[in-house]
């Protein structure tokens, strides 16, 4: 049962880094949340007033608290477990949409911070941005993806000044994609999807879409009017930065994509590509609110997804603000360990990634990442293989990050 807790002026409700699965709603008084901005390292404060929730993201995502909560005046808070919060959340349509939009906005802001760090040219418009996606796929010879984005570009900008050039790229990419074909041996893999059973009802069959390997489901810089639930297969998220597609994430069955554009009416922030055959349910903007508020389970899945993505993206942003190149590379391994922890006492970790993947995470060119990885290899801290990298002791990576960060600050 939810219960009331009284906090006197100056009391700490919880500290940053605490693990606590309680959700709070302020009934009386004033609470301030204090955190440190990842990019500027400056303190950030947010005041919570009566009737507002706090502590939701870390509780739902089972992550450490991202801020310290302090009572500015004598305050009374209602505390509840995650399951109790879900019961309240599910029955309140206004709260559902408000929280989804707030979390969507927070995730969008983190994406913008990441983009500001990585991009040299911040003035790119949507048309130029989509064209850069075409050129990136052409450069890496991802012909199916290149063909799909060309088609979207020509439909979106039928009078573009570079229409003839894009048509030429489209023709070449389509021909090469057709000649390459898709291996019939490809399967959906052995993932165990966490998908509510009601999505398998006949009523949802009309929303079903299928994609083959390399097909683009969502194009970065495109205005979106639909979002997707992955039922089978995997989807790769990439972002075009300085003319190069950088890997953001791999989405698996049970996850949504494209929901941010629906919630805040903004252009797509990444390109979503089928990594092997993919089955999705596609929902449009017109029925989004009705679908969400009429099916609380979907809303809760989305809310938890935002919690995870916000946490993950903040952790990735921390890498990009590190100035020391070796510390930044080392923190890539620390991040992957944070997101997928193990209990091995010897600290040995095996990561299924290549030097190119490490470069993407670190925001470096492959050669720069390769040089730093070579230094780590020569000091016997890691071993590099074709499709994976062994870290002999993850604590060595943490020491590199901590030590070099202290030197830089000094």
């Amino acid at each position: 049962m939810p219960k009331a807790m009284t906090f006197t002026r100056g009391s700490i409700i919880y500290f940053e880094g605490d693990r606590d699965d309680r959700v709070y709603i302020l009934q009386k008084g004033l609470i301030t949340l204090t955190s440190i901005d990842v990019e500027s390292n400056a303190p950030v404060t947010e005041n919570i007033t009566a009737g507002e929730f706090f502590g939701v993201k870390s509780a739902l995502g089972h992550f450490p608290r991202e801020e310290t909560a302090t009572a500015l005046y004598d305050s009374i808070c209602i505390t509840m477990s995650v399951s109790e919060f879900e019961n309240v959340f599910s029955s309140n349509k206004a709260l559902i949409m408000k929280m989804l939009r707030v979390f969507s906005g927070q995730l969008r802001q983190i994406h913008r911070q990441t983009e500001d760090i990585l991009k040299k040219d911040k003035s790119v418009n949507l048309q130029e941005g989509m064209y850069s996606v075409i050129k990136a796929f052409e450069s890496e010879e991802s012909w199916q993806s290149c063909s799909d984005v060309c088609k979207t570009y020509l439909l979106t900008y039928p009078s573009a000044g570079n229409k003839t050039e894009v048509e030429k790229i489209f023709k070449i990419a389509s021909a090469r994609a057709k000649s390459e074909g898709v291996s019939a041996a490809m399967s959906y893999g052995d993932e165990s999807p966490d998908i509510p059973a009601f999505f398998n009802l006949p009523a949802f069959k009309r929303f079903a879409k299928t994609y083959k390997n390399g097909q683009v489901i969502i194009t970065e810089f495109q205005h979106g009017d639909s979002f997707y639930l992955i039922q089978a297969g995997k989807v790769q998220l990439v972002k075009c930065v300085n003319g190069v597609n950088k890997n953001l994430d791999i989405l698996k069955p049970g996850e949504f994509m494209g929901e941010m554009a629906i919630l805040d009416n903004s252009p797509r922030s990444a390109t979503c590509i089928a990594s092997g055959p993919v089955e999705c349910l596609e929902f449009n903007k017109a029925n989004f609110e009705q679908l969400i508020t009429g099916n609380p389970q979907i809303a809760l899945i989305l809310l938890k997804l935002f919690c995870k993505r916000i946490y993950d993206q903040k952790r990735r942003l921390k890498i990009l603000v590190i100035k020391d190149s070796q510390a930044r590379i080392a923190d890539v391994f620390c991040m992957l360990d944070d997101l997928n922890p193990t209990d091995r006492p010897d600290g040995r970790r095996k990561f299924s990634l290549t030097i190119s993947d490490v470069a993407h995470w670190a925001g470096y060119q492959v050669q720069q990442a390769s040089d730093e990885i070579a230094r780590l290899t020569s000091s016997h801290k890691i071993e590099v293989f074709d499709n994976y990298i062994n870290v002999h002791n993850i604590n060595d990576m943490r020491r590199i990050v901590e030590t070099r960060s202290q030197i830089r600050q000094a």
Side-chain angles (χ1 to χ4, degrees), residues 71-117:
L72 291 183
Y73 303 108
D74 292 348
S75 301
I76 299 175
C77 295
I78 304 298
T79 66
M80 59 189 76
S81 66
V82 169
S83 60
E84 290 166 343
F85 168 77
E86 289 177 353
N87 289 333
V88 173
F89 178 83
S90 299
S91 60
N92 190 324
K93 176 180 176 180
L95 178 62
I96 288 173
M97 297 310 299
K98 178 182 177 180
M99 296 196 78
L100 287 175
R101 288 195 172 99
V102 167
F103 284 8
S104 173
Q106 291 179 5
L107 186 56
R108 179 74 64 178
Q109 178 60 33
I110 297 170
H111 283 173
R112 286 174 181 147
Q113 285 182 278
T114 302
E115 189 171 294
D116 285 345
I117 292 172

Side-chain angles (χ1 to χ4, degrees), residues 20 31 80 208 211 229 243 267 271 299 304 306 308 333 355-356:
D20 181 3
I31 304 296
M80 59 189 76
Y211 298 88
L229 169 72
T271 298
K304 291 178 181 179
F306 277 130
K308 181 180 185 301
F333 297 112
I355 292 176
S356 178

Side-chain angles (χ1 to χ4, degrees), residues 14 18-24 53-67 80-83 85-86 103 303-304 307-308 311:
Y14 56 77
D18 286 353
R19 288 187 176 272
D20 181 3
D21 285 347
R22 288 177 294 180
V23 175
Y24 298 81
F53 286 89
F54 62 100
V56 176
K57 288 199 299 290
S58 54
L60 290 185
H62 304 292
F63 304 128
R65 298 293 193 188
E66 296 180 312
E67 69 285 316
M80 59 189 76
S81 66
V82 169
S83 60
F85 168 77
E86 289 177 353
F103 284 8
L303 195 65
K304 291 178 181 179
C307 292
K308 181 180 185 301
Y311 179 82

Side-chain angles (χ1 to χ4, degrees), residues 119 121-132 153 157 220-221 267:
K119 282 194 174 181
D121 180 10
K122 302 181 180 67
S123 62
V124 63
N125 62 33
L126 298 183
Q127 183 175 344
E128 292 170 347
M130 195 182 297
Y131 176 70
S132 70
Y153 183 93
Y157 305 107
E220 186 180 359
F221 301 106

